[in-house]
Amino acid sequence: MGEGLGLTMDESQTVTTHEIDDDLLEAIDYCYEQGWTDGLPVVPPEQSRVHAMLAMEGRPPETVIAHHPATRLELTLQAAAVNAVMAGCLPEYFPIVVAAFEAMDREPFNFHGSTVSTGGSGHLLIVSGPIVDEIGMNAGVNLFGPGNRANATIGRTIRLTLMNVFKIVPGIADKSTQGNPGKYSFCIAERADRNPWPPLCEELGYPDGVSTVTAFAGAGFCNVENHGGNTPEAILDTMAHAMANYGCISTGQSVVVLSPEHAEIVARPGWSKAQVREYLFAHAKHPRATIERLGKLDRGYKRQGRDDCHRGIGPDDILVTVGGGDAGGHSSFIPSWSRGRGSIMQTQAIGVCIDC
């Protein structure tokens, strides 16, 4: 590694290079010593790897793609590339990383709150469109688990960047009460070949051929099992009950990932995704008196003045997608990190500059 390690970590976003001998383990140890890891070993960001990452972007390395309102630190393409290398990304993954941070930079996402709160947000990325197959993302078996380089390293880049660039370090700025395994990596791909509905990128109005990434400040993952139900109502009632559990219910948004098996059962009689969202919203609820008794009658519920308190404030607060292996009656629900409307998910086209 004769060219040294090109690292961008300080507030001024200047490039500093540290020369180190051709000893990979020494380079990894050096990264640990500098506090640049998430606890796991990182790929030392040798300069040629950083340059290859930046070659996937048409803008100057000093271009700012995200800001942190509390720390007032900024993320440049250069800094993002360094952290993408350390996470283990290949250059072709980098446009997703960039698009994800551009999405999270929008005010409704609440970049600050979702990174430092006691709630323990994991920033879930949902990738939809042709890029999924182009770079070999996993949309099938073990969707949320290990084993796929693209899924794992794209998600990991988010956390390394939060720590190394924005200084959101656990125990210092990150005050999460119990944490969330999604803080290591939380990136999935939508499964197109078993999706009975239009893909997210199309549903959200993007042109044909354009891929997207949706960023969601999510809380813990909830597995929703139903191997015996064979009607849309049976599957969706199971999901709605999970969404309305006392620990999760709030006016916040939700992500529902239906397994292919469940999606097929729901769509077989002709149910649209809009109908799925409407059904889930209508049934994921508790009486207002119950929510008040629990101490969870937040401002959103008080403003609505409804007799029933639903998960979210309307059907459009529920993102529905499809992913996972062919077999198995297992779907998932990810609630919002915030107690209420503290963060609104954002979607960005991949490889399309929002300011160009």
Side-chain angles (χ1 to χ4, degrees):
M1 296 193 296
E3 291 189 7
L5 306 181
L7 303 172
T8 305
M9 296 296 175
D10 61 359
E11 294 185 21
S12 63
Q13 300 291 291
T14 56
V15 179
T16 60
T17 301
H18 179 81
E19 297 290 340
I20 202 163
D21 294 332
D22 274 342
D23 185 334
L24 179 60
L25 293 180
E26 181 184 346
I28 292 172
D29 286 340
Y30 178 81
C31 292
Y32 268 116
E33 291 164 6
Q34 303 308 306
W36 293 336
T37 87
D38 52 9
L40 298 172
V42 296
V43 177
E46 187 267 331
Q47 286 183 326
S48 67
R49 288 178 176 261
V50 175
H51 293 160
M53 203 71 67
L54 288 168
M56 298 299 294
E57 256 289 340
R59 292 172 285 178
E62 63 272 15
T63 301
V64 174
I65 58 172
H67 314 71
H68 198 280
T71 63
R72 300 191 182 280
L73 296 173
E74 297 180 331
L75 173 64
T76 63
L77 288 171
Q78 171 80 28
V82 168
N83 283 275
V85 169
M86 290 201 293
C89 282
L90 294 177
E92 53 263 41
Y93 307 166
F94 192 53
I96 299 177
V97 170
V98 173
F101 275 111
E102 288 176 327
M104 292 189 292
D105 193 48
R106 296 182 195 137
E107 185 57 36
F109 186 79
N110 192 351
F111 193 33
H112 170 60
S114 68
T115 57
V116 303
S117 166
T118 56
S121 163
H123 292 95
L124 172 64
L125 305 182
I126 306 169
V127 181
S128 174
I131 198 169
V132 170
D133 291 333
E134 290 170 4
I135 67 171
M137 293 190 73
N138 177 29
V141 175
N142 204 42
L143 178 66
F144 285 92
N148 180 274
R149 182 173 183 173
N151 293 38
T153 60
I154 293 168
R156 189 187 186 197
T157 301
I158 302 302
R159 185 57 45 184
L160 286 178
T161 303
L162 289 175
M163 295 174 64
N164 292 331
V165 177
F166 293 113
K167 309 304 180 185
I168 309 300
V169 178
I172 301 176
D174 179 352
K175 296 296 186 178
S176 174
T177 304
Q178 293 192 329
N180 179 340
K183 283 176 172 281
Y184 277 102
S185 180
F186 211 11
C187 177
I188 64 172
E190 182 178 54
R191 185 163 178 185
D193 65 327
R194 292 295 304 275
N195 188 350
W197 303 294
L200 278 175
C201 50
E202 179 182 326
E203 178 187 349
L204 296 172
Y206 289 89
D208 185 44
V210 173
S211 299
T212 60
V213 58
T214 298
F216 175 64
F221 172 96
C222 178
N223 178 67
V224 180
E225 178 272 328
N226 188 332
H227 281 82
N230 59 7
T231 66
E233 291 85 355
I235 300 304
L236 296 180
D237 282 346
T238 308
M239 179 63 71
H241 191 271
M243 294 171 68
N245 79 73
Y246 288 156
C248 290
I249 193 166
S250 77
T251 52
Q253 294 182 314
S254 308
V255 167
V256 169
V257 183
L258 293 176
S259 65
E261 187 172 303
H262 282 167
E264 181 181 356
I265 292 170
V266 172
R268 189 185 302 142
W271 283 48
S272 68
K273 193 185 283 189
Q275 288 176 290
V276 172
R277 289 194 298 265
E278 290 164 3
Y279 190 94
L280 289 173
F281 177 74
H283 290 80
K285 65 181 181 180
H286 284 294
R288 180 185 175 95
T290 301
I291 299 302
E292 187 168 16
R293 176 179 62 81
L294 295 171
K296 299 192 68 170
L297 194 68
D298 66 22
R299 287 175 293 179
Y301 287 137
K302 290 177 181 178
R303 284 196 297 268
Q304 291 171 24
R306 291 175 172 157
D307 291 334
D308 289 322
C309 294
H310 295 255
R311 173 77 228 183
I313 62 171
D316 289 342
D317 275 337
I318 305 170
L319 183 150
V320 177
T321 186
V322 176
D326 290 332
H330 296 277
S331 292
S332 58
F333 154 62
I334 300 98
S336 170
W337 135 79
S338 71
R339 286 177 289 179
R341 308 289 295 173
S343 178
I344 304 299
M345 67 182 77
Q346 300 293 311
T347 299
Q348 169 64 19
I350 296 167
V352 177
C353 175
I354 58 176
D355 297 319
C356 295

